[in-house]
Amino acid sequence: MGLRRWRSAAVAAVALAATGVLATPGAAHADNGDGLTACNSGEICFWRYSGAVLWTKQFWYTANHGGYTWWAGQPTGVRMQDDAVEITNRDTQCDVRVGNRSPATGLWTWRYFPNDHVRRDLGEIRNANDRHERVC
């Protein structure tokens, strides 16, 4: 391969990699489950109460929680990161773990939730949720 062709290939690879990196946050922030209020089959659902109103956020996949907001029949504009109380794991195959990253140490605390469709309190990571991951 000639130098000119090699440079063109290298520039194209770098551009493609940069596009992928830039596109990743947008794709991640597009995970809204099926977009309905109910926690339906296949979804990983988080819950919070604001007064008498139930706020929800559903996912299909693993996600960092920064940038996501609560839904209460309409968008709330309130960030869900470090603000969730409960989880329902309705994933069709996997357990889920929810983590909190300590700003002081950088270490993660994880809590695991079975694939059993039961709404559960987040326990020691209640209102300290930074990420969730499917564990298959």
Side-chain angles (χ1 to χ4, degrees):
M1 178 184 287
L3 184 58
R4 175 174 268 171
R5 198 192 267 176
W6 182 85
R7 282 185 186 162
S8 295
V11 168
V14 169
L16 184 60
T19 302
V21 168
L22 294 175
T24 301
H29 293 287
D31 188 355
N32 292 310
D34 64 11
L36 302 175
T37 302
C39 185
N40 293 313
S41 180
E43 293 183 315
I44 301 161
C45 306
F46 289 86
W47 311 91
R48 172 196 193 277
Y49 296 92
S50 178
V53 179
L54 178 64
W55 292 5
T56 63
K57 176 64 186 106
Q58 293 92 351
F59 296 92
W60 293 118
Y61 306 106
T62 293
N64 289 320
H65 293 176
Y68 287 103
T69 59
W70 291 107
W71 176 263
Q74 61 185 11
T76 64
V78 177
R79 288 175 20 132
M80 73 147 310
Q81 183 176 8
D82 295 331
D83 197 31
V85 174
E86 297 171 325
I87 184 174
T88 303
N89 179 8
R90 297 205 60 202
D91 190 289
T92 56
Q93 299 175 7
C94 304
D95 290 343
V96 171
R97 70 181 189 168
V98 180
N100 178 56
R101 185 174 181 269
S102 168
T105 65
L107 299 176
W108 285 88
T109 300
W110 294 99
R111 179 124 192 256
Y112 290 78
F113 298 92
N115 177 356
D116 63 3
H117 304 228
V118 174
R119 188 183 299 187
R120 299 179 185 276
D121 190 273
L122 287 171
E124 66 272 9
I125 57 169
R126 180 182 193 147
N127 294 325
N129 57 291
D130 292 316
R131 177 180 177 77
H132 73 274
E133 297 177 351
R134 297 174 74 224
V135 182
C136 297

